[in-house]
Amino acid sequence: MQILLQLIASGISVGMIYGVIAFGYQLTFATSKTLNFGQGEALTLGALVGLTTINFLIGQAIATPWAYLLMLPIVLAFGLLQGAVVELLGVRQAIKTNSEAGWIMATIALGIIFRNLAENIWGRDALRFPSPLPEQALSFGGIRIQPMEIAIVVGALLLMLLVELFNRKSIYGKAVVATANDRDAAGLMGINTRIVITFSYALSSMSAAFAGVLVAPITLTGATMGAVLGLKAFAVAIIGGLSSGAGVVVGGLILGIAETLTGYYIESGYKDVPGLVLLLLVLSLKPSGLFGKPTIKKV
Amino acid sequence: MLKVENLVAGYGKVQVLHGLSINVEDGQLVTLIGSNGAGKTTTLRALSGMIAPESGSITLGGKEISGLASHRITRLGLAHSPEGRRVFSTLSVEDNLLLGAFPRVTGARPKGDVQADRNRMFDLFPRLSERRTQLAGTLSGGEQQMLAMARALMLQPQVLLLDEPSMGLSPRLVEEVFSIIRRLKDAKVTMLLVEQFAAAALDVADFGYVLENGRLSTSGPAAELKNDPAVRAAYLGTAH
Ligand SMILES: Nc1ncnc2c1ncn2[C@@H]1O[C@H](COP(=O)(O)OP(=O)(O)O)[C@@H](O)[C@H]1O
Ligand SMILES: [Mg+2]
């Protein structure tokens, strides 16, 4: 029982990371029915930019926790910018010409370019990311949890909550929801839906970059760190449903916990299998995702 | 106020409108009638920028708007209540109305009192008032139609385009919609009304155009059109 709870606790923080990245997939899908297949690389770049920034700040004799907090807005701003670039270079033209394959190829290609860029700037080796919180695990009735794991859960929920609040309360957020509902009708309201789509790409990459600096202190940072995370989060987005906000959190947790359980009870080499099996099951049994509403096409 | 000259438009290679000229004077209610597939919706789409016209000129208050993106045209004061209502189903009635005033709230048009205008809409459409916090997707067809009209009015537009506001409604609701159109006309709202209910449309309108296969066949003061034998035979025979 103790071990099981321990495994679940460990699975939760990984799952929340998947959830945040998957949340990013949802953001662009909602407004444009397209996805950024370079989400993993957005995470990588965010983590690496964060690493350089935090090391610089620590070099200025700023204590690590403060340096981490100061680094966050810079990484978030970088993520916004990076996502906007992806939309402008890779997606906009494909949407304009209604090209189905265009945005897939373009976002994958940009992802590869970003990965190469990261390799050339930061090298191929995994780098240690300074942890803003003590690395000593806390014990909750024998279950050991790292403070950073708690920070991941809190940070991930906070990000999604803030985006949701923006969508519900501000007129610009409502414009985003309107665009997701019906792009043409949103245009008739005087909403520049092209900018809304650019913005959703920016927000999507920002979420990934944030996930990058959340996870970096408990893993390692490097040019390839995002590739697998991006892919698994894609599975989470499909499992949870591309249109269900809460679905990605639950989907992320399911996958995160399934992985730690498999890794312990079966064989750590099979750790990646449950997610993919789940993905295949969902795709064949409930293609709109476990929590997604089936899309009704109105004529 | 709204002047269309030699409008040619369509979808991709398919040309639907083959050179229309329409004029809507300030404060006038003009109707565009025609049978199913004549190109009425396409005309309104071209006017509001939902599709880009191939050629021709469209001016709003003397300003050329042809070829502009739809959000730009809306910001210049042309509101469009589109065919099929197209309300934002996951947003509340109140939020739908607020978005109708998006250019006003965000500074692209004079702001005025958005809150007061929303309340005015609830007076004009009492059914919406009861449902103000309900999601638009849960409204009945008639209520959605009223929401679509009210949302377009929230722009405080110079010209309002209405695409078949009576479509799919029960006879009682059609009556209600037309009485609201009459009230808007009395309030001097400039409108271009597209209708299949030709008789009802010609009853309220000042001026009418008849569209046939993407070309205007007849036009004239609404009262005259109603007595035009050809129009009567083609459009007023069955309706009402
Ligand atoms: N999205 C579209 N793509 C291609 N053709 C269309 C589209 N919408 C309408 N059409 C065609 O344009 C013509 C005019 O349609 P429409 O403007 O909707 O007519 P109306 O509103 O008068 O019933 C019809 O022949 C219709 O098939
Ligand atoms: Mg039509």
Side-chain angles (χ1 to χ4, degrees):
Chain A
M1 192 62 197
Q2 192 79 6
I3 291 172
L4 182 65
L5 287 176
Q6 177 69 58
L7 291 169
I8 290 175
S10 311
I12 287 176
S13 56
V14 187
M16 288 308 287
I17 291 294
Y18 295 154
V20 172
I21 310 168
F23 179 68
Y25 283 119
Q26 285 187 332
L27 292 174
T28 62
F29 187 75
T31 55
S32 66
K33 297 285 172 282
T34 64
L35 301 165
N36 179 5
F37 283 108
Q39 270 292 78
E41 281 67 34
L43 180 146
T44 302
L45 283 184
L48 288 168
V49 167
L51 178 68
T52 300
T53 310
I54 196 171
N55 280 339
F56 170 80
L57 292 170
I58 290 170
Q60 306 298 303
I62 297 173
T64 308
W66 291 113
Y68 189 87
L69 288 177
L70 284 173
M71 166 275 290
L72 281 180
I74 293 170
V75 165
L76 296 181
F78 172 81
L80 286 172
L81 193 73
Q82 193 260 349
V85 166
V86 170
E87 199 275 336
L88 289 172
L89 293 183
V91 183
R92 178 163 289 205
Q93 198 55 33
I95 292 178
K96 203 184 276 174
T97 55
N98 265 321
S99 157
E100 281 291 345
W103 58 268
I104 300 177
M105 294 311 297
T107 57
I108 291 175
L110 283 169
I112 294 171
I113 293 171
F114 285 128
R115 192 186 313 171
N116 280 327
L117 207 64
E119 278 171 353
N120 281 308
I121 298 175
W122 284 276
R124 285 163 178 276
D125 299 329
L127 305 163
R128 212 188 72 82
F129 197 103
S131 179
L133 297 172
E135 287 171 88
Q136 183 68 43
L138 306 169
S139 179
F140 298 91
I143 298 160
R144 299 167 62 74
I145 300 174
Q146 283 190 45
M148 199 60 212
E149 290 182 312
I150 298 172
I152 286 175
V153 175
V154 172
L157 290 176
L158 204 63
L159 174 87
M160 291 187 258
L161 200 73
L162 286 177
V163 173
E164 190 62 28
L165 219 57
F166 168 78
N167 281 347
R168 280 180 200 223
K169 296 295 171 201
S170 86
I171 182 79
Y172 293 101
K174 287 170 187 176
V176 172
V177 179
T179 304
N181 264 268
D182 186 332
R183 189 176 168 196
D184 284 340
L188 292 180
M189 302 300 110
I191 296 164
N192 185 343
T193 55
R194 244 176 304 169
I195 289 185
V196 170
I197 290 172
T198 308
F199 173 73
S200 61
Y201 263 81
L203 214 53
S204 167
S205 280
M206 188 198 83
S207 305
F210 183 58
V213 292
L214 277 182
V215 77
I218 60 167
T219 56
L220 290 165
T221 319
T224 54
M225 72 183 283
V228 175
L229 285 173
L231 191 65
K232 288 187 178 168
F234 180 67
V236 164
I238 301 295
I239 292 168
L242 273 167
S243 54
S244 161
V248 287
V249 175
V250 181
L253 294 180
I254 291 175
L255 184 59
I257 293 167
E259 281 184 0
T260 52
L261 293 184
T262 312
Y264 182 83
Y265 288 112
I266 300 177
E267 160 80 57
S268 68
Y270 288 126
K271 198 165 80 65
D272 297 337
V273 172
L276 300 173
V277 170
L278 206 56
L279 175 66
L280 293 174
L281 278 177
V282 168
L283 278 179
S284 56
L285 299 178
K286 197 166 182 303
S288 58
L290 288 181
F291 307 95
K293 297 172 277 298
T295 40
I296 304 156
K297 278 243 183 249
K298 279 197 189 148
V299 189
Chain B
M1 182 49 64
L2 181 67
K3 207 171 169 67
V4 182
E5 275 169 60
N6 280 316
L7 175 63
V8 176
Y11 302 93
K13 289 199 173 67
V14 187
Q15 190 176 311
V16 175
L17 305 176
H18 316 288
L20 301 193
S21 298
I22 292 174
N23 195 12
V24 183
E25 299 288 350
D26 202 2
Q28 249 190 353
L29 168 48
V30 173
T31 187
L32 180 63
I33 57 177
S35 48
N36 209 357
K40 304 181 296 296
T41 295
T42 306
T43 305
L44 295 194
R45 283 192 185 139
L47 296 185
S48 67
M50 289 175 86
I51 58 172
E54 251 161 68
S55 65
S57 144
I58 306 166
T59 56
L60 178 70
K63 194 175 179 345
E64 184 66 47
I65 58 168
S66 171
L68 294 182
S70 64
H71 68 272
R72 296 213 173 282
I73 293 177
T74 303
R75 289 172 189 185
L76 290 169
L78 186 73
H80 181 176
S81 170
E83 182 177 81
R85 298 139 197 174
R86 312 284 287 265
V87 296
F88 302 117
S89 51
T90 69
L91 289 172
S92 69
V93 167
E94 284 184 332
D95 280 348
N96 270 270
L97 293 179
L98 184 66
L99 283 168
F102 183 81
R104 298 169 59 193
V105 180
T106 56
R109 282 184 75 68
K111 181 153 190 191
D113 192 340
V114 174
Q115 195 58 47
D117 285 339
R118 194 156 60 173
N119 289 332
R120 210 163 297 142
M121 287 307 135
F122 287 136
D123 291 340
L124 192 59
F125 303 92
R127 285 159 176 279
L128 296 181
S129 177
E130 297 157 25
R131 305 201 173 344
R132 49 179 81 197
T133 58
Q134 214 168 303
L135 296 187
T138 65
L139 301 182
S140 72
E143 290 158 356
Q144 288 192 0
Q145 183 57 60
M146 293 184 186
L147 180 56
M149 287 173 69
R151 184 180 66 173
L153 281 165
M154 285 297 288
L155 184 68
Q156 293 275 30
Q158 300 198 272
V159 178
L160 172 62
L161 310 180
L162 293 173
D163 196 342
E164 299 213 36
S166 65
M167 197 204 264
L169 302 189
S170 67
R172 225 195 62 208
L173 278 175
V174 172
E175 203 116 304
E176 198 172 327
V177 164
F178 270 100
S179 90
I180 287 165
I181 291 173
R182 218 178 287 268
R183 282 175 70 179
L184 294 175
K185 184 191 173 183
D186 291 342
K188 292 274 172 284
V189 178
T190 310
M191 283 177 278
L192 177 57
L193 168 68
V194 157
E195 260 303 333
Q196 269 198 78
F197 274 114
L202 289 174
D203 269 343
V204 288
D206 298 303
F207 201 87
Y209 292 89
V210 181
L211 190 60
E212 261 173 42
N213 296 321
R215 288 192 174 81
L216 292 175
S217 61
T218 329
S219 67
E224 280 177 29
L225 280 186
K226 266 179 76 175
N227 296 316
D228 182 315
V231 174
R232 289 184 75 91
Y235 303 104
L236 303 178
T238 50
H240 288 230

